[in-house]
Amino acid sequence: MTPRKSSTLAARIERWPIAGRFTISRGAKTEAVTVVAEISQAGHTGRGECVPYPRYAENPEQSLAAILAMQQAIAGGLDRVGLQSAMPPCAARNALDCALLDLAAKTSGERVWDLLGRPAPRACTTAFTISLGLPETMAEAAARAAHRPLLKIKLGGDAVAARIAAVREAAPRSELIVDANEAWTTANLEQNLAECVNAGVTLVEQPLPAGKDEALARIRRPIAVCADESVHDRASLEGLRERYDAVNIKLDKTGGLTEALAMAEAARAQGFEIMIGCMVATSLAMAPAMLLARQARFVDLDGPLLLARDRAEGLRYDESLVYPPDAALWG
């Protein structure tokens, strides 16, 4: 009987400069801080990348420690099925889940979608994000990106009409989606939604704070509204149908691709449209999410486009068209 080959786990924090500043209603940053997990076995190494997010009480040091705490379990043969119960949904579990999937693909010599029995991903259009700023600053950024078919506009709690109107004038042919990052209130919700309708916006993401979004069920929504901070994994879908029309699935929230795939099926069964989202990170974090793109109405995987540089073997972007990963990157 051939003895089972044990796996070793390593992890590290990486810092990737952002091209300029990335600004949303909660603040601005100039670098993406990611945590990478690497699981090695018999000469093969699988990788996964996550972005710990302070909004969810995560930071890079804590996520790194959570990953490294799984060294003994990984060495003992913990697989991605067991991982789902061994850790709660979080960024750290995402890195491990994706590393295990990548390792399985590399050791088998097959692509990960074939191992999972899923259709191969194909090139798709990603949104391109316009950071929050003064209306004229946002208009300038939108004008530079006006050739892109889909723009995601970051808005705050004030000057919504001026900002979205400025963007629309600068990018008259682009489809627009809006992300308020919980910055609106029940007092300005309906007016802000009306301003978005006037600008031809297709979807508004997370207008109200998670846990304080009951007003969405009491109004007539004139435009599709997508849950982001209000939804994490399958368990969090319950009760959202009256408030939201779509859900933003992010691997750092679901705790990995394994749960994200199951969540997408559950969300579609409950009548939600699907958006595939990301944090600002490298192509290593985007690659697993490409397996969900065929099910999504909106794909928002522009993280590498916002960086000053990406990994050498990163995803291929042709303007807003993003192509499936090569095996050298992931899967």
Side-chain angles (χ1 to χ4, degrees):
M1 184 180 201
T2 303
R4 183 185 60 79
K5 300 181 178 66
S6 63
S7 300
T8 59
L9 168 64
R12 62 184 177 274
I13 295 172
E14 296 183 347
R15 298 179 183 273
W16 296 84
I18 290 173
R21 293 169 67 86
F22 181 74
T23 305
I24 66 172
S25 62
R26 281 190 285 271
K29 59 182 181 180
T30 57
E31 67 175 2
V33 183
T34 72
V35 182
V36 174
E38 293 184 340
I39 302 176
S40 299
Q41 182 188 92
H44 300 282
T45 297
R47 301 184 299 167
E49 176 179 303
C50 70
V51 181
Y53 198 32
R55 171 63 180 80
Y56 305 129
E58 298 176 327
N59 65 51
E61 292 74 22
Q62 290 171 342
S63 294
L64 178 65
I67 291 170
L68 293 176
M70 301 301 293
Q71 285 176 313
Q72 185 173 350
I74 293 293
L78 180 72
D79 61 13
R80 66 186 181 89
V81 176
L83 179 66
Q84 308 309 303
S85 57
M87 297 180 76
C90 60
R93 195 180 82 180
N94 175 32
L96 286 171
D97 185 69
C98 292
L100 285 166
L101 283 163
D102 188 33
L103 179 63
K106 287 181 167 56
T107 55
S108 69
E110 295 185 66
R111 296 312 304 265
V112 69
W113 43 87
D114 293 324
L115 291 177
L116 294 173
R118 300 187 64 86
R122 56 194 177 197
C124 60
T125 297
T126 178
F128 181 80
T129 302
I130 304 298
S131 284
L132 176 64
L134 295 172
E136 54 268 30
T137 304
M138 295 180 71
E140 291 171 2
R144 292 192 296 271
H147 61 288
R148 296 181 182 272
L150 178 62
L151 299 181
K152 178 173 175 174
I153 315 305
K154 292 289 188 177
L155 293 178
D158 62 346
V160 167
R163 288 181 168 120
I164 196 63
V167 168
R168 171 50 80 199
E169 184 176 1
R173 290 181 295 276
S174 300
E175 182 178 8
L176 301 184
I177 57 178
V178 157
D179 188 0
N181 286 114
E182 306 180 282
W184 296 358
T185 67
T186 54
N188 62 28
L189 173 64
E190 291 182 274
Q191 180 60 40
N192 288 346
L193 288 175
E195 297 293 351
C196 288
V197 171
N198 291 340
V201 171
T202 305
L203 172 139
V204 174
E205 200 178 337
Q206 197 68 44
L208 299 177
K212 299 180 180 178
D213 52 3
E214 301 88 355
L216 289 168
R218 299 196 298 267
I219 66 169
R220 185 188 70 82
R221 298 190 295 273
I223 188 173
V225 178
C226 179
D228 183 1
E229 287 86 350
S230 288
V231 67
H232 295 264
D233 57 4
R234 279 175 291 175
S236 63
L237 289 171
E238 177 115 18
L240 292 184
R241 193 67 189 90
E242 293 182 354
R243 305 175 193 180
Y244 295 97
D245 309 288
V247 292
N248 188 341
I249 300 176
K250 295 178 180 175
L251 272 60
D252 282 314
K253 293 190 302 178
T254 64
L257 181 61
T258 299
E259 172 62 20
L261 291 169
M263 180 182 173
E265 296 296 334
R268 291 181 68 190
Q270 294 182 40
F272 290 104
E273 285 194 311
I274 294 174
M275 178 177 185
I276 304 306
C278 68
M279 306 300 186
V280 183
T282 79
S283 286
L284 181 57
M286 307 299 119
M290 288 290 293
L291 273 71
L292 291 153
R294 293 178 70 143
Q295 298 171 266
R297 166 65 177 87
F298 297 100
V299 174
D300 178 24
L301 297 177
D302 66 341
L305 297 178
L306 305 175
L307 298 177
R309 60 182 177 85
D310 191 14
R311 298 182 185 277
E313 70 279 19
L315 293 172
R316 175 189 165 199
Y317 287 86
D318 181 4
E319 293 292 350
S320 291
L321 199 62
V322 54
Y323 289 82
D326 291 333
L329 173 65
W330 184 86

